[in-house]
Amino acid sequence: MDDQRFHEHILSMELNGYTVLPKVFTEDECNKAQIELENLDAAGTSLECVFNKATVFERIYQVPHLLRYLRYFLGDDACLSGAYGSIRRAGEGDAGLHSDGAITGHNKIDSMPKGDDGIRITSHILGLNVIICISEFACDNGSTHIVPGSFRFPGLEIPESALQAKTVIEAPRGSAIVFNFNTWHGPSANNSNSTRYALLTPWRRSWVRSENDLATIVKREVLERAGAEGPKVFGFSSRIPYLEGWQWDRERGAPKPEWAHLER
């Protein structure tokens, strides 16, 4: 992606709260991912932390122009917060609108002090959600709908008028829908005759609490294949030390070598 296109996508995020990045997965990768999602579903296997479950899913953090874009807003040590498969069958209905951060983030009710007066943090992007379109996202097959610009709205409650302003994002197979997690969004109804497949991969600033402790969950061989990017992607440098500071290597997110026997 050249600089002009890159900055067009930056402007789209700043104005609308979302963009669609092209060519994140190839056609072959989409085919493989679709097969793996169906296999996992047929086996009754959870569609969480999918990077541990098939090598094609490791691509979610290996695409240079996607990483460049995420780090522009979240910093060079931006962390993956989760990785989920999404299968939306024909006939599944509209799931409404929401913003993220209500479980582990700044929109969690119990974490909002009275002094905030019910106003959420909108001045900076704290996290970005990435939906990798394993299927084409069309207006009738369960694509994501959003309310453009809603990331600026200060309150937690979504007004009724927002329902009139929502729009369905259409995106080609292999592209990625990226949006501010303050943007009101949700899956639309699948009124088509086909199944819609996607990968949902939220990213956070390194100091924002993640949905999962991926540094603990990631398999050793998966981390090794991630190379030099792995410790940043999986949040090793942002782990909370479980030993005293002098025993802890903050860069590695693990005990210093002489205390390796205490590693958990």
Side-chain angles (χ1 to χ4, degrees):
M1 179 182 296
D2 62 31
D3 285 346
Q4 179 178 343
R5 289 292 295 147
F6 183 75
H7 287 287
E8 287 173 1
H9 288 292
I10 289 173
L11 184 61
S12 178
M13 181 65 66
E14 292 174 340
L15 293 178
N16 303 314
Y18 79 99
T19 196
V20 178
L21 294 181
K23 299 179 180 179
V24 173
F25 268 37
T26 65
E27 190 74 15
D28 184 57
E29 288 165 345
C30 287
N31 290 336
K32 290 178 180 178
Q34 181 173 322
I35 291 169
E36 294 292 352
L37 287 174
E38 281 291 5
N39 288 341
L40 291 171
D41 188 56
T45 304
S46 164
L47 298 184
E48 296 189 32
C49 298
V50 292
F51 49 79
N52 275 340
K53 297 172 180 176
T55 55
V56 67
F57 298 136
E58 296 174 30
R59 286 290 295 161
I60 61 175
Y61 45 79
Q62 295 174 344
V63 181
H65 68 279
L66 174 60
L67 278 180
R68 180 190 178 197
Y69 190 76
L70 295 170
R71 288 171 174 168
Y72 178 87
F73 290 104
L74 303 179
D76 286 344
D77 60 350
C79 301
L80 186 66
S81 181
Y84 310 91
S86 172
I87 301 174
R88 198 152 184 81
R89 306 288 184 189
E92 291 193 40
D94 186 318
L97 295 171
H98 65 281
S99 62
D100 292 335
I103 298 175
T104 61
H106 68 293
N107 291 330
K108 183 180 178 182
I109 296 296
D110 290 345
S111 299
M112 296 187 73
K114 291 182 179 179
D116 284 356
D117 198 26
I119 296 175
R120 60 184 185 156
I121 299 170
T122 59
S123 58
H124 293 70
I125 297 177
L126 302 181
L128 291 170
N129 286 337
V130 180
I131 300 176
I132 298 173
C133 304
I134 303 305
S135 303
E136 177 188 10
F137 270 44
C139 62
D140 65 345
N141 74 342
S143 177
T144 299
H145 53 198
I146 69 157
V147 179
S150 57
F151 65 95
R152 300 189 190 92
F153 192 82
L156 289 175
E157 295 297 324
I158 299 176
E160 286 291 326
S161 58
L163 299 177
Q164 310 305 317
K166 68 182 181 181
T167 183
V168 174
I169 301 175
E170 297 184 70
R173 193 180 197 211
S175 64
I177 301 168
V178 186
F179 57 93
N180 185 326
F181 72 176
N182 268 336
T183 300
W184 298 329
H185 64 279
S188 62
N190 187 348
N191 296 318
S192 72
N193 295 318
S194 61
T195 301
R196 191 273 287 145
Y197 301 90
L199 299 175
L200 315 180
T201 60
W203 292 74
R204 303 289 186 266
R205 295 190 186 222
S206 65
W207 43 268
V208 174
R209 182 182 169 194
S210 291
E211 297 171 26
N212 301 282
D213 181 6
L214 298 188
T216 300
I217 293 171
V218 62
K219 292 180 178 179
R220 187 176 299 275
E221 61 268 25
V222 173
L223 180 62
E224 289 174 354
R225 286 195 293 269
E229 296 287 3
K232 286 195 287 188
V233 167
F234 290 106
F236 279 81
S237 62
S238 59
R239 295 184 80 188
I240 298 174
Y242 51 79
L243 298 176
E244 295 183 16
W246 57 278
Q247 298 172 303
W248 190 256
D249 184 332
R250 290 189 179 274
E251 189 65 28
R252 290 177 52 246
K256 292 179 179 178
E258 59 269 33
W259 299 102
H261 63 285
L262 298 177
E263 188 164 357
R264 300 176 187 173

